[in-house]
């Protein structure tokens, strides 16, 4: 297994959760890393992406200002700090890795974790 997510669980609206993605990828620092999520009955959607060196970050409008993506290339780790959670953030969250990623679309990420469930109650 090359990507493993952790940190999901139950939260109330307004709470915070921190997701982690442990990667066992060779040359991890060369990968663009991202988080996607999929709610029941909906398509998987982009949440956040971070460049290989960590200098560039992009967020979906729905999470901008509430979520923060970061990475530690020395530890092969990517995190997603989620603050001010809302019920609509309920989903399975997936960590994804890609090389030469242009736009943060699903098809550009070739390595995926199994996902971790986040459930936010009102």
């Amino acid at each position: 297994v090359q990507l493993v997510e952790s940190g999901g669980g139950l939260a109330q609206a307004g709470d915070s959760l921190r997701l982690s993605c442990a990667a066992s990828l060779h040359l991890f620092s060369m990968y663009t890393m991202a988080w996607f999520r999929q709610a029941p009955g909906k398509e998987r959607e982009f949440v956040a992406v971070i460049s290989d060196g960590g200098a560039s970050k992009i967020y979906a409008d729905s999470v901008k200002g509430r979520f923060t993506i970061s990475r530690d290339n020395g530890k092969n780790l990517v995190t997603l700090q989620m603050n001010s959670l809302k019920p609509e953030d309920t989903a399975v969250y997936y960590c994804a890795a890609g090389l030469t990623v242009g736009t943060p679309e699903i098809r550009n990420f070739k390595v995926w974790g199994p996902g971790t469930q986040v459930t936010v109650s009102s």
Side-chain angles (χ1 to χ4, degrees):
V1 178
Q2 294 180 297
L3 298 176
V4 179
E5 303 93 340
S6 63
L10 300 176
Q12 293 189 330
D15 284 352
S16 298
L17 283 176
R18 185 178 181 89
L19 304 184
S20 295
C21 173
S24 57
L25 298 167
H26 180 58
L27 297 178
F28 170 76
S29 61
M30 294 182 64
Y31 284 82
T32 295
M33 300 298 298
W35 289 93
F36 290 80
R37 67 186 182 186
Q38 187 165 17
K42 296 186 178 181
E43 294 185 352
R44 193 169 299 190
E45 64 175 8
F46 165 73
V47 175
V49 63
I50 187 167
S51 60
D52 52 4
S56 178
K57 305 174 185 180
I58 301 173
Y59 298 92
D61 288 344
S62 59
V63 306
K64 201 171 295 183
R66 300 188 297 122
F67 290 11
T68 302
I69 189 171
S70 60
R71 67 188 295 162
D72 185 335
N73 285 345
K75 296 181 179 179
N76 284 24
L77 193 67
V78 180
T79 60
L80 185 69
Q81 177 67 42
M82 307 187 296
N83 298 330
S84 302
L85 284 164
K86 304 176 180 180
E88 50 264 44
D89 294 320
T90 296
V92 176
Y93 283 71
Y94 298 91
C95 178
L99 292 170
T100 62
V101 172
T103 54
E105 299 175 38
I106 290 174
R107 60 186 174 90
N108 292 331
F109 293 88
K110 306 305 182 183
V111 186
W112 291 81
T116 185
Q117 176 71 47
V118 172
T119 303
V120 184
S121 61
S122 58

